[in-house]
Amino acid sequence: RILHSAMKNQFLKLILVTKKLNCPVDQYLQFIALMARSGVTAVQLREKNLHASELFSLGKALHTLLQSFKIPLIINDYVDLCLELDAEGLHLGQDDGDVTKARQALGAKRIIGLSVNTLAQLKIANDLPLDYVGIGTIFPTKNKANTTTTWGIEALAQAVSISKHSVLAIGGIDQNNAQQV
């Protein structure tokens, strides 16, 4: 296993969240390899439109590729897929499962993150066995249609000051505003 507690945070610096769409798998894996060589520190497999067999196949190929770079694979939503692929982590949304049960199933060595959409959710997350919370969207984005909150920089700063876990900012962050984040 790649991770121990001191190393977990270093893998949380720049996470690529997948969005393969109709790109052929081989071509997409080439893109991921380029991103790995360019500084991505973890990859979250988040493909909402793939069937289970396609998701497993992509996850397996992605995990094999990422292991060569010593970059962890974080599975979005599916504890069973995380275990099946022996992935390094899991990310859950607010309605995607119980964090405590996921921690029991995955053990202490795997990364577990949780999306939070409000400060109330963040305060609840403070008492959960997590490695990080994902906060977003920070700025308006076209990449996720069903966002409930656009945080902005001031609310992000407030969330960081309240959180007992590492905070990952996501959504609408680009080369023009990344320095603010």
Side-chain angles (χ1 to χ4, degrees), residues 29-40:
L29 291 174
Q30 289 174 13
F31 165 74
I32 297 292
L34 176 62
M35 295 299 97
R37 289 189 293 275
S38 299
V40 163

Side-chain angles (χ1 to χ4, degrees), residues 8 32 35 39 44 55 74-75 77 88 97 99 101-102 108-109 115 128 137 139 143 152 161 166 168:
K8 281 183 181 179
I32 297 292
M35 295 299 97
Q44 182 185 135
L55 191 60
I74 299 171
I75 303 298
D77 295 346
E88 289 75 25
V99 170
K101 289 179 182 176
K109 292 184 179 180
S115 292
L128 297 174
T137 62
F139 302 109
N143 286 329
S161 72
S166 295
L168 296 179

Side-chain angles (χ1 to χ4, degrees), residues 102-124:
R103 177 59 75 198
Q104 289 169 347
L106 298 177
K109 292 184 179 180
R110 286 195 174 93
I111 297 168
I112 298 182
L114 177 69
S115 292
V116 296
N117 303 308
T118 66
L119 290 177
Q121 290 175 352
L122 177 61
K123 290 174 184 175
I124 292 168

Side-chain angles (χ1 to χ4, degrees), residues 116-119 135-139 149-156 159:
V116 296
N117 303 308
T118 66
L119 290 177
I135 294 182
T137 62
I138 304 305
F139 302 109
T149 306
T150 301
W151 288 75
I153 295 299
E154 289 180 22
L156 174 62

Side-chain angles (χ1 to χ4, degrees), residues 90-110:
L90 175 73
H91 183 89
L92 295 172
Q94 285 293 309
D95 300 321
D96 296 329
D98 183 288
V99 170
T100 302
K101 289 179 182 176
R103 177 59 75 198
Q104 289 169 347
L106 298 177
K109 292 184 179 180
R110 286 195 174 93

